[in-house]
Amino acid sequence: MTAGITGRAAESALRPGAWIALAACLLAVFMQMLDLTIVHTAMPAVALDLRADGPAELLIVSVYGLTFACTLPTAARLGDLLGRHAVFTTALSAFAAASVWCGTASSATELALARGSAGIAAALVSAQTIAIITGEFPERLHATVFGIYGAIAGLAGMAGPLLGGALVDADAFGLSWRTVFLINIPLAGIAMALAHRHLDIVADAPDTRPRRSARRRGERWVLVLQQLDIGGAVLSAVGLGLLVYPLTFGRALGWPPITLVLLGLSIPVLAFFGWGQYRRAARGVEPLVRLELFGDRGFAVGSVLTAMFYGVFTALLFTVSVAVQSGLGWSASRAGLVMLPFAVGAVAGALSSPILMALWGTRALTVGVTVFAVALGAIASTVHAAGPALDIRELAGPVLAAGAGMGWFAAPLPAVMLARVVDRATGSASGIVPTVQQIGSALGVAVLGTVFFTRAAAGTYLAAITTVLWIMAGLAALLAVFTLALPRRHP
């Protein structure tokens, strides 16, 4: 069986094994999103067992997302050069190995290093999935498959805190917190089995692979390194690190001057990286990142929407969890239950989003993020009115609506962004989309988290979450306006 991975499936017939290939990608996405959030509820047990202090806890929680973001652009290019099947399956193996390392770590430092390596492996996997999906399925099914993709990603993000608490409480085989990492092993094994069976490396784009004349492995790697743009890879990693690191750790560290210096340095480094990529493309040399992608209105506007939305979404999860635990004294498990209707709504919204896209085109995104904005306002009003007597059942309706709005907006957004992207640029786009998500998430938590804790210090946690929810509702309303800049229909 052969199935194209990097090229767009333009033909109307569905490729054999495409749904199984999608299942492999969905399992990979589920693991990646799960690892971003599952560790939060396990941290008290981790800190007690490994004697981790506050800075060490922060590093263990955050280093995964940091290395993930910094690796994505290079990971996408490696998929172009080595073949998406090879990178996808090899990275899944590396992710499973890193999960074993996390689950057997004997110190906080070792666990942080293991989490960092897991983030790198996750980036290598994630940078291939969008290109794989767009290549496996014909254009007419992209809205459907990305709806499923969004549903799984949203479910994983919501399930992380709940599953983490359940696994720690179960203490299977006396492993306690270690099971939150070891659970990845069977999932990765299934994903690798599916990938090996249904993704064929022979169908990778021939114009981006090393030449077939390089028979010996050493010669092949020389060709890969020559085409990879090592300088660009280093600049992108350094620039993203200078940007994401202070955004991730700045608030917890009290925004010392060095964090602001690093943020300032990220601007010229990333600008120099962009200039270098432009020069390579002008010379006819394949760049690490195809900047011409941002010349397409759907991709450019979609990138702004992605960054802003994931900033709001990630900050929402973070601030709500802190508010109900620190402000109301709820347990981590009960705090997770607050967002359970959100997960249900997100899955339902994502799965039904293809219907809305068929009816209204990209205006379906406008409807989705408008519902999200109104629901956030309703949550803020409910919290303000109830105060310390707040009951989970009072929040169920607006939280469910917020999840549905997210599903209608976020699930079809990747398909809208990639609708006019030509085949040769799909790999680069596959790396840019999750990079933008990560940067937006870091920026959202940094800015809205600072507002939240500043307000909490001056008043109460409930007053702080009410203020931040209204700000989020306003930002979501602004996003609804921005969606009007998208092409009404995509091809």
Side-chain angles (χ1 to χ4, degrees):
M1 178 187 300
T2 60
I5 294 178
T6 58
R8 186 174 303 254
E11 59 272 19
S12 59
L14 184 65
R15 297 188 180 192
W19 290 107
I20 306 301
L22 177 64
C25 291
L26 294 180
L27 270 175
V29 168
F30 185 86
M31 288 188 298
Q32 295 154 26
M33 293 300 299
L34 196 67
D35 258 37
L36 280 171
T37 57
I38 195 171
V39 71
H40 288 80
T41 47
M43 275 313 301
V46 172
L48 182 64
D49 188 28
L50 300 183
R51 299 179 181 177
D53 56 14
E57 288 186 58
L58 179 62
L59 185 62
I60 291 169
V61 169
S62 303
V63 70
Y64 175 89
L66 178 64
T67 56
F68 183 88
C70 293
T71 307
L72 281 164
T74 303
R77 181 64 179 140
L78 284 173
D80 284 338
L81 293 171
L82 296 173
R84 305 214 174 276
H85 171 256
V87 174
F88 184 82
T89 54
T90 302
L92 275 174
S93 301
F95 185 80
S99 297
V100 173
W101 188 12
C102 290
T104 56
S106 58
S107 68
T109 300
E110 184 182 1
L111 180 55
L113 289 172
R115 286 272 292 167
S117 66
I120 294 172
L124 287 163
V125 175
S126 179
Q128 320 311 319
T129 54
I130 292 178
I132 288 173
I133 292 171
T134 55
E136 286 288 341
F137 288 87
E139 184 75 32
R140 60 185 173 84
L141 289 176
H142 281 185
T144 299
V145 295
F146 277 112
I148 298 172
Y149 179 96
I152 295 299
L155 181 62
M158 295 291 101
L162 288 172
L163 183 58
L167 288 172
V168 172
D169 291 343
D171 193 20
F173 307 106
L175 292 173
S176 182
W177 59 268
R178 300 179 187 276
T179 53
V180 305
F181 302 111
L182 298 178
I183 193 175
N184 289 327
I185 299 171
L187 296 176
I190 296 171
M192 282 188 286
L194 292 171
H196 277 297
R197 176 68 181 85
H198 294 283
L199 302 180
D200 192 341
I201 193 173
V202 175
D204 276 355
D207 58 333
T208 57
R209 288 182 300 164
R211 297 188 301 272
R212 293 182 182 275
S213 59
R215 298 178 181 178
R216 296 166 60 180
R217 183 174 299 177
E219 294 174 341
R220 184 169 186 251
W221 275 103
V222 168
L223 290 172
V224 168
L225 292 174
Q226 287 174 345
Q227 297 178 54
L228 179 58
D229 182 16
I230 299 298
V234 172
L235 276 176
S236 69
V238 171
L240 288 171
L242 291 170
L243 176 64
V244 177
Y245 175 83
L247 291 176
T248 302
F249 295 97
R251 182 199 55 78
L253 299 175
W255 293 108
I258 185 61
T259 57
L260 302 179
V261 171
L262 294 177
L263 275 175
L265 287 174
S266 71
I267 297 173
V269 172
L270 290 174
F272 186 65
F273 165 72
W275 177 77
Q277 297 303 290
Y278 172 80
R279 289 291 302 274
R280 282 180 67 88
R283 297 197 309 267
V285 181
E286 185 71 23
L288 191 70
V289 173
R290 288 179 170 269
L291 298 180
E292 69 265 25
L293 284 166
F294 294 97
D296 174 71
R297 182 157 58 103
F299 191 87
V301 175
S303 295
V304 175
L305 293 173
T306 297
M308 287 185 63
F309 180 80
Y310 279 91
V312 171
F313 170 61
T314 308
L316 174 67
L317 298 183
F318 173 71
T319 54
V320 167
S321 177
V322 173
V324 297
Q325 291 184 72
S326 299
L328 297 176
W330 293 0
S331 66
S333 298
R334 191 180 181 190
L337 288 174
V338 173
M339 298 304 289
L340 183 61
F342 191 100
V344 175
V347 171
L351 293 178
S352 60
S353 63
I355 300 173
L356 299 186
M357 286 292 292
L359 292 173
W360 302 327
T362 57
R363 295 299 177 264
L365 277 69
T366 309
V367 172
V369 77
T370 300
V371 170
F372 183 72
V374 172
L376 290 181
I379 295 170
S381 298
T382 302
V383 172
H384 177 72
L390 181 68
D391 190 279
I392 290 179
R393 290 169 294 184
E394 296 178 87
L395 294 174
V399 170
L400 178 71
M406 175 190 171
W408 290 329
F409 173 81
L413 185 55
V416 172
M417 293 176 66
L418 296 172
R420 291 175 172 84
V421 173
V422 296
D423 292 349
R424 66 179 182 275
T426 303
S428 182
S430 188
I432 291 174
V433 173
T435 303
V436 170
Q437 290 177 357
Q438 289 299 309
I439 292 173
S441 296
L443 183 61
V445 171
V447 174
L448 294 173
T450 298
V451 173
F452 173 80
F453 284 105
T454 300
R455 183 74 175 86
T460 65
Y461 279 103
L462 289 184
I465 191 61
T466 302
T467 299
V468 170
L469 282 167
W470 279 117
I471 294 174
M472 292 177 181
L475 291 172
L478 185 61
L479 279 172
V481 176
F482 287 169
T483 59
L484 301 178
L486 289 169
R488 182 64 185 265
R489 294 273 175 186
H490 58 86

